[in-house]
Amino acid sequence: MPSRNRTLAIAALVAGGIVAFVHLLSHVMPVGDGFLTLTRVTQWLLMPLLALVLWASTQPPRSRLVRLVLLALGFSWLGDFLPGFVGGGDAPFLTLVGCFLLAQITYVTAFLPFREQSFVRTNKVGMLSYILALAALVYLCASGAGVLLVPVVIYGIVLTSMAILASGLGRIGALGGALFFISDALIAIRAFAPSAALPTNGLLVMTTYIAAQALLVAAVLQREGAQV
């Protein structure tokens, strides 16, 4: 890696760590009123910084895997950014689900070539555990989801597929996929079964989300033989 790119990757990694810490802290000690809260602004910065780490840590021509993961991070950023601009009612949640559905489809496409090394072939118990976890989540949320049940189920199937296929990138990828599943499960429970939501649900959602995305990027860099 050229020294200039390495410096950029390290700077983005450090900046991302600081932004992530401030973001999580803002869930405990909120700062700001109205639209531009510290929580919201720092969330908007998370995925661009992580994408910059991945971009700067790899060299052109970048592989199919890297390009697709960069695209998935872009869709994830839209999921972090757009819901605050689309009005009230179900629109913010549907925008969130739509953007992250595109992100998950892109991740599935990126990880599909590694399916022979994933739980699909190597760990049937792990794959079955994901399927059972999805079934339990749908059962828990079904009564509260109403007309949104079908899109939620579709999203859940794609999310579960991503988590299973991410294991094809090794243990780091498997952990990233698992944390992404947990993060989105917490969102679903908060939205459709609030009586079962944990008191610190928002903090847990973002902690697992940030860790999941970072681990998936780390797994990709490991697969590419790249270092920050």
Side-chain angles (χ1 to χ4, degrees), residues 37-114:
T37 62
L38 184 61
T39 301
R40 178 167 280 164
V41 172
T42 51
Q43 185 168 346
W44 293 344
L45 297 174
L46 291 168
M47 292 306 105
L49 287 169
L50 188 57
L52 184 56
V53 171
L54 177 58
W55 182 86
S57 300
T58 53
Q59 299 182 47
R62 290 174 177 83
S63 68
R64 173 186 179 276
L65 175 62
V66 170
R67 295 195 306 271
L68 284 172
V69 170
L70 285 170
L71 181 60
L73 292 172
F75 285 131
S76 298
W77 175 76
L78 289 176
D80 291 335
F81 183 76
L82 287 181
F85 294 89
V86 294
D90 291 331
F93 184 77
L94 290 175
T95 302
L96 175 77
V97 172
C99 291
F100 276 100
L101 177 61
L102 291 173
Q104 299 299 351
I105 290 172
T106 307
Y107 271 131
V108 167
T109 305
F111 300 154
L112 194 59
F114 308 99

Side-chain angles (χ1 to χ4, degrees), residues 90 93-94 97 134-135 137-157 188 192:
D90 291 331
F93 184 77
L94 290 175
V97 172
L134 175 61
L137 182 63
V138 170
Y139 175 79
L140 182 63
C141 297
S143 60
V147 296
L148 297 178
L149 181 60
V150 172
V152 168
V153 170
I154 292 172
Y155 181 85
I157 292 171
F192 303 122

Side-chain angles (χ1 to χ4, degrees), residues 207-223:
T207 300
T208 49
Y209 169 68
I210 293 168
Q213 295 275 31
L215 286 168
L216 290 177
V217 167
V220 170
L221 290 175
Q222 183 181 63
R223 174 67 62 167

Side-chain angles (χ1 to χ4, degrees), residues 1-16 49-58 221 227-228:
M1 184 196 310
S3 59
R4 182 177 178 182
N5 281 4
R6 181 173 176 80
T7 300
L8 181 59
I10 292 172
L13 183 62
V14 172
L49 287 169
L50 188 57
L52 184 56
V53 171
L54 177 58
W55 182 86
S57 300
T58 53
L221 290 175
Q227 294 181 347
V228 178

